[in-house]
Amino acid sequence: MNRDIIEGNWKQLKGKLKEQWGKLTDDDLDVIEGKREMLAGKIQERYGITKDEAEKFVKEWEKKHDA
């Protein structure tokens, strides 16, 4: 996925992200601002998983939502 697309559609994608990863707060999403690496980092932090696992989850989510 193109990083510009994530950032450009951030407002629309935030709701879908909260559905998938409910532990992410509104503040987390405001800080992330559509930056893929920051999203993976926050998922890693909130869910206590490895960086590789978080990256994998983000990639799968992107494919599922055509983001």
Side-chain angles (χ1 to χ4, degrees):
M1 163 184 264
N2 185 325
R3 288 183 181 154
D4 292 335
I5 293 173
I6 291 178
E7 291 178 23
N9 293 325
W10 186 240
K11 287 183 182 180
Q12 292 84 1
L13 296 174
K14 281 171 51 171
K16 292 179 182 180
L17 285 167
K18 285 189 77 170
E19 288 176 16
Q20 179 76 30
W21 293 293
K23 291 183 181 180
L24 294 176
T25 66
D26 288 331
D27 287 341
D28 289 338
L29 296 173
D30 288 342
V31 169
I32 292 166
E33 294 181 332
K35 294 174 179 67
R36 190 180 187 286
E37 290 179 14
M38 290 185 75
L39 173 59
K42 283 293 182 183
I43 291 169
Q44 177 186 0
E45 178 184 324
R46 294 285 183 228
Y47 288 87
I49 60 177
T50 67
K51 182 178 180 178
D52 289 339
E53 288 175 310
E55 287 286 337
K56 179 183 173 190
F57 289 143
V58 171
K59 284 181 186 177
E60 289 172 358
W61 183 86
E62 289 171 339
K63 287 180 184 177
K64 180 179 176 182
H65 294 282
D66 196 31

